[in-house]
Amino acid sequence: MKKFFKWFFILLLVVIAGAVTFVFATWDKKFDAPLPAFKASTDSAVIARGKYLVYGPAHCASCHIPMDKIGDMKKGIEVPLSGGWEITIPPGTFRAPNITPDPEFGIGNFTDAQLARALRYSVKHDGSVLVPFMPFQELSDADVTAVISFLRSQPAVHNEVKPRELTFLGKAVVAFGMIKPEGPKNPPPPAVTIDTTATYGKYIANSVSNCVGCHTDRDLKTGKFTGVPMAGGFKMPADTFSYGYGFISPNLTPDKETGIMATWNQQTFVARFKAGRIHKGSPMPWENFAKMDDVELKAVYAYIQALKPVSNKIERVVFQPSEKMPD
Ligand code: HEC
Ligand code: HEC
């Protein structure tokens, strides 16, 4: 018996040493993902659409700004996208990079294809994986072009942002393929018609504004969707940006009893978005969404109204810093 344990422990040590060696040897791996053939445009209408998406519905500007400019952004100021926003989570410390055209610290030396690949396949310019902060894989071709065209048109800001730092856990998660580049699940449309229909609203809610990413219950550890889309219930515990508050996303489906919007009409919905933030620390990028045009808001409303009502009672949405959130 003693001998058995001895060999068992030796084997265990070998396995652990092997796993650790594997993690250190492979965490920084490069991925093969297509470099999509996009080309930035200098057309002013295309650039304007890009700027609108970046500061409004796609809310790139809620992250790609310096930490000390978050207050300005929340006042509605269009802060330059010089990066620096930083979040520390168990896999590591991640920073939103400078995405102004600075050649040294920004995107000046990245190709249009590298930028498109980052958005569509979550692959960084150096071929490594981007952790999933940006669910824009199914942006239309036209909107990817618009965003890139706007990024190119901005003044360069010479601001260095430190690279990300992965913890051992983060390295292991990448080495074992638990975080890997995610491409589009459905073929992205070449272009979408901008109107007030539910079809366009579905595109905004799912592929641009990520309403579905927060208003659907998910496993907090893996990010996997576990609830009915848009029926709420996703727990968002306090983080660096929430001033200690925790949140559970409300049910947006048009269920008479449990849907938060059951008694709202189109005007209530549009007015609610224009009014902006009510809850300090809410992760919803209200300041960016307040810049959304009526067309997009009416479209999102039409999409939500057409959803199947789902009964999912969210007892509490906001949790005070002193309160414990339910498990
Ligand atoms: C929730 C915060 C957040 C939002 C919103 C966001 N980003 Fe990012 N972005 C990040 C972080 C964090 C990284 C770095 C991730 C990493 O290091 O793994 C990043 C990386 C990038 C990169 C990769 C740069 C490189 O080195 O290859 C590009 C390009 C980019 N973002 C553009 C955008 C654009 C364009 C939008 C809007 C359409 C956007 N981001 C929205 C947080 C965000
Ligand atoms: C990053 C996460 C996140 C995203 C993205 C997000 N929401 Fe929310 N949303 C929340 C949270 C958390 C709350 C509850 C706290 C609050 O009201 O700010 C909320 C609240 C709401 C409310 C209730 C407001 C009220 O006054 O009661 C509506 C309506 C809503 N969201 C709609 C949307 C729509 C539509 C989108 C996409 C255009 C969206 N949300 C995107 C997290 C998010």
Side-chain angles (χ1 to χ4, degrees), residues 1-326:
M1 209 56 189
K2 244 174 141 179
K3 219 170 172 179
F4 169 77
F5 277 117
K6 187 176 140 202
W7 284 107
F8 178 77
F9 277 113
I10 290 176
L11 190 67
L12 191 68
L13 282 179
V14 170
V15 170
I16 293 174
V20 171
T21 313
F22 175 75
V23 167
F24 281 112
T26 58
W27 70 272
D28 201 15
K29 58 187 164 189
K30 306 292 181 240
F31 292 86
D32 271 332
L35 274 164
F38 279 90
K39 201 165 168 358
S41 158
T42 51
D43 183 301
S44 60
V46 175
I47 293 174
R49 168 79 179 168
K51 180 173 184 185
Y52 168 68
L53 291 171
V54 165
Y55 282 98
H59 58 278
C60 319
S62 68
C63 298
H64 285 273
I65 57 171
M67 293 294 267
D68 62 0
K69 292 285 190 294
I70 291 175
D72 284 354
M73 187 270 293
K74 291 199 167 162
K75 285 185 207 134
I77 298 172
E78 285 173 356
V79 177
L81 306 175
S82 59
W85 179 94
E86 172 183 307
I87 191 160
T88 299
I89 47 180
T93 296
F94 298 92
R95 301 180 179 97
N98 180 345
I99 52 171
T100 74
D102 187 72
E104 193 179 356
F105 300 136
I107 57 164
N109 285 327
F110 304 174
T111 63
D112 293 338
Q114 281 173 315
L115 292 171
R117 184 179 64 174
L119 293 174
R120 204 154 260 183
Y121 296 97
S122 18
V123 170
K124 205 172 142 85
H125 69 278
D126 64 6
S128 64
V129 63
L130 284 168
V131 290
F133 285 98
M134 301 185 291
F136 302 113
Q137 288 77 6
E138 290 173 26
L139 271 188
S140 73
D141 293 348
D143 282 344
V144 170
T145 303
V147 166
I148 297 175
S149 306
F150 167 67
L151 295 182
R152 295 275 186 236
S153 77
Q154 315 161 88
V157 182
H158 199 59
N159 176 46
E160 182 169 19
V161 174
K162 278 199 283 175
R164 64 183 169 197
E165 289 147 60
L166 267 65
T167 56
F168 182 74
L169 174 75
K171 289 176 181 168
V173 159
V174 177
F176 288 107
M178 283 177 279
I179 290 186
K180 53 178 186 301
E182 293 285 348
K185 293 198 173 55
N186 307 291
V192 284
T193 308
I194 300 173
D195 58 18
T196 58
T197 60
T199 309
Y200 183 51
K202 180 180 182 188
Y203 170 73
I204 293 290
N206 290 278
S207 309
V208 181
S209 297
N210 197 29
C211 318
V212 75
C214 289
H215 287 277
T216 306
D217 199 3
R218 302 169 78 162
D219 182 322
L220 206 58
K221 289 203 186 73
T222 61
K224 286 219 164 42
F225 287 88
T226 55
V228 182
M230 304 292 266
F234 180 37
K235 293 189 189 69
M236 291 169 264
D239 66 23
T240 322
F241 303 98
S242 77
Y243 304 94
Y245 292 92
F247 294 87
I248 300 182
S249 58
N251 178 356
L252 299 185
T253 70
D255 181 59
K256 293 248 167 356
E257 264 102 57
T258 65
I260 197 162
M261 289 171 49
T263 61
W264 297 17
N265 59 26
Q266 190 196 59
Q267 275 160 313
T268 327
F269 182 79
V270 173
R272 176 67 196 87
F273 271 74
K274 302 275 180 193
R277 174 176 303 275
I278 292 175
H279 299 294
K280 185 176 174 184
S282 167
M284 180 155 155
W286 284 105
E287 295 75 17
N288 304 92
F289 290 164
K291 294 186 193 295
M292 279 165 81
D293 289 341
D294 286 15
V295 183
E296 272 78 25
L297 291 172
K298 287 178 181 169
V300 171
Y301 182 74
Y303 166 64
I304 290 176
Q305 280 312 102
L307 290 171
K308 207 171 119 255
V310 177
S311 172
N312 185 26
K313 181 130 188 73
I314 310 301
E315 302 283 349
R316 291 269 309 274
V317 169
V318 186
F319 293 81
Q320 305 296 318
S322 56
E323 287 177 309
K324 197 181 162 321
M325 285 180 72

